[in-house]
Amino acid sequence: MSANGLITEHADGCPRCWWPGLDPVYVAYHDTEWGVPEYDSRALYEKLILDGFQAGLSWITILRRREGFRRAFQNFEPERIARFTDDDVERLMGDTGIIRNRAKIRGTISGARAWLAIEEAGPGFSDFLWDFCDGRPIQTNARSRADIATETEVSKRIGKALKQKGFTFVGPTIVHAFMQAVGMVNDHLVGCHRHAPCAALGETSRS
């Protein structure tokens, strides 16, 4: 195992980024989701909300509760969440399957309403986000943890635009983590077995 922010060789022979460690849930997430370009507007909303819930916590904490979040927030369907009332907020505050934070719960609801407004105004939430990087993933070609930013000028611009639209918990660090997760930035280390496949996906036309 590597704790110095470099490539880690796993027992299956695959070299990986250091951060998932040996946790099978985290390794599966690293191998199948993180860095894969996501263009579905609903899925992007879900991931942005979950990254907001992560604030002050580790991502694995959220990942282990993801199904609980999906159940509690009705599969993150913005049309349904936008209709949540104060009674729903209180219900969610009693739900042990999620992180019970009132401000983040209310932010999920206001974010759903903002998402709907963006969708209705056009060109849609996915295009709204991806236009900040000209529709293509940013390839950083990082070789160690030291080469990976925690925030960028792009994440600052996106966070500011999201806040203006009505989203909360969208500071530049949270937004950059979101961008890494949904493939707007390919921050898999060079040498990680997922770096090249995610870079290749970035060359594929949006569907």
Side-chain angles (χ1 to χ4, degrees):
M1 280 300 299
S2 170
N4 59 2
L6 299 172
I7 291 297
T8 299
E9 291 286 344
H10 285 238
D12 61 4
C14 287
R16 293 180 172 88
C17 302
W18 80 97
W19 53 264
L22 297 177
D23 187 304
V25 174
Y26 225 177
V27 170
Y29 173 73
H30 168 276
D31 286 2
T32 62
E33 295 185 54
W34 198 78
V36 174
E38 177 62 74
Y39 298 107
D40 179 78
S41 286
R42 189 218 59 82
L44 288 166
Y45 165 77
E46 174 181 338
K47 186 61 177 67
L48 182 62
I49 294 300
L50 289 176
D51 270 309
F53 270 97
Q54 181 194 352
L57 303 167
S58 65
W59 176 241
I60 191 62
T61 299
I62 304 299
L63 195 59
R64 291 187 181 282
R65 289 171 170 78
R66 184 160 59 171
E67 291 309 314
F69 274 104
R70 287 173 172 168
R71 173 186 50 74
F73 287 104
Q74 301 184 349
N75 201 36
F76 287 98
E77 294 291 344
E79 297 89 347
R80 302 174 73 179
I81 297 171
R83 297 194 294 269
F84 278 14
T85 65
D86 287 343
D87 287 342
D88 291 297
V89 173
E90 295 308 317
R91 169 180 59 82
L92 292 166
M93 284 297 294
D95 192 330
T96 58
I98 67 171
I99 303 301
R100 293 173 289 177
N101 180 296
R102 191 177 299 274
K104 293 176 182 180
I105 291 169
R106 290 196 178 278
T108 302
I109 300 169
S110 63
R113 294 167 183 166
W115 184 95
L116 287 174
I118 294 171
E119 287 286 306
E120 290 168 3
F125 191 60
S126 180
D127 285 337
F128 170 80
L129 291 171
W130 278 96
D131 281 352
F132 282 93
C133 54
D134 298 323
R136 300 169 71 85
I138 298 166
Q139 306 294 331
T140 63
N141 296 313
R143 295 184 177 277
S144 74
R145 183 175 187 172
D147 298 326
I148 298 177
T150 56
E151 61 180 59
T152 64
E153 289 302 315
V154 177
S155 74
K156 290 176 183 177
R157 292 200 302 271
I158 294 176
K160 182 178 179 180
L162 286 167
K163 187 174 181 179
Q164 290 173 341
K165 294 292 185 180
F167 284 88
T168 59
F169 295 96
V170 286
T173 301
I174 290 173
V175 170
H176 187 67
F178 163 78
M179 293 175 69
Q180 293 171 312
V182 301
M184 294 177 72
V185 174
N186 180 9
D187 262 343
H188 281 288
L189 299 181
V190 173
C192 172
H193 81 108
R194 290 297 297 158
H195 174 83
C198 286
L201 288 171
E203 296 300 318
T204 303
S205 298
R206 293 173 61 172
S207 58

